[in-house]
Amino acid sequence: MTDQAPAVEADTPEIPGKPTSASRTTLSHIMTHNDTNLLGTVHGGVIMKLVDDAAGAVAGRHSGGPAVTASMDEMAFLEPVRVGDLVHVKAQVNWTGRTSMEVGVRVLAERWNESTPPTQVGSAYLVFAAVDADGTPRPVPPVRPETEKDRRRCQEAQIRRTHRLARRRAIMELREKRAAEGLDD
C-alpha cells in the first residue's frame, strides 16, 4: 500500500448543472450620509461595491466555493440614488464557462419609508473565476436556465463573452504590432 493519491482520470465526469434559482440573491442596504459624494447623492463606488458583493455571493454559491472578480462590464447608472433610499441589488448567474461565470446584476432603489415600487437605478455584468485554496482556477457547474428570461440572459451573456474575447484579441494584436514596429510604450 502506498501513500500516493489515486491518479485523476482524464475523463473526469462532468459536474452536474445548477438551476439559475439555486444561487440567485438579493442584497438590500439603506443609504446614509456616509455613502454620499460631493453632489449629495450616493457615490457610484458605493453602488459598485454592493454590486460586487452581491455578484460575489452568487458566484460563490453557484461554484460551491471561492470565486474572484475577473472583470466588470457595462456598469450603467440609470438614476441617482439618494440618502434614505433602500437599495436592492439583485444578482444571478447568466452564463458559465469551464472555470468562469457571468453574473448579471440589477440595482433597484425605493424610499425607505414609502410603499412605492422600486425603480431600477443601475445594472452591471461581472465575470468571476472560481478558484481553489491556491488561487488556481477550478471547474464550475453549468448553469441551467429555468425561464425564457433566463435563456435570453444566457444568450446575451454569450454575445458579451464573444465581444470580450474579440476585444482582448484585437488589443493584444495591436500591442504586438506596435512592439514589432519599435513603438513599445
Side-chain angles (χ1 to χ4, degrees):
M1 194 144 113
T2 69
D3 292 342
Q4 292 179 326
V8 177
E9 293 181 15
D11 296 323
T12 50
E14 196 172 305
I15 300 171
K18 286 186 177 179
T20 306
S21 61
S23 56
R24 188 179 287 141
T25 194
T26 300
L27 173 67
S28 297
H29 187 77
I30 295 177
M31 298 292 109
T32 68
H33 289 286
N34 293 334
D35 302 316
T36 60
N37 58 28
L38 296 175
L39 298 175
T41 57
V42 172
H43 196 287
V46 170
I47 301 299
M48 290 173 74
K49 181 176 182 336
L50 293 173
V51 163
D52 192 44
D53 287 347
V58 165
R61 279 181 172 184
H62 183 82
S63 69
V68 295
T69 310
S71 68
M72 177 185 262
D73 288 355
E74 304 179 33
M75 180 72 212
F77 298 99
L78 306 172
E79 298 282 335
V81 178
R82 306 194 183 289
V83 170
D85 281 353
L86 176 58
V87 172
H88 308 286
V89 183
K90 297 177 176 284
Q92 75 172 50
V93 173
N94 289 335
W95 171 90
T96 53
R98 194 177 62 76
T99 62
S100 64
M101 61 210 111
E102 183 194 91
V103 178
V105 181
R106 288 181 56 221
V107 183
L108 305 156
E110 62 181 305
R111 295 306 295 169
W112 71 273
N113 59 350
E114 296 177 9
S115 60
T116 56
T119 302
Q120 184 171 354
V121 295
S123 66
Y125 300 101
L126 297 88
V127 176
F128 279 80
V131 295
D132 63 18
D134 298 323
T136 304
R138 61 183 174 78
V140 299
V143 66
R144 288 194 328 254
E146 299 172 280
T147 66
E148 270 312 307
K149 193 179 279 190
D150 292 342
R151 282 184 274 287
R152 176 188 52 80
R153 287 177 176 155
C154 186
Q155 290 171 332
E156 291 173 358
Q158 290 171 357
I159 292 168
R160 282 187 292 275
R161 179 176 188 273
T162 299
H163 286 227
R164 279 191 292 272
L165 293 174
R167 183 179 61 229
R168 182 183 303 145
R169 193 171 34 256
I171 289 170
M172 294 309 293
E173 288 171 2
L174 177 63
R175 288 179 181 174
E176 289 171 8
K177 180 181 175 215
R178 289 179 58 80
E181 295 171 352
L183 300 172
D184 193 23
D185 25 58

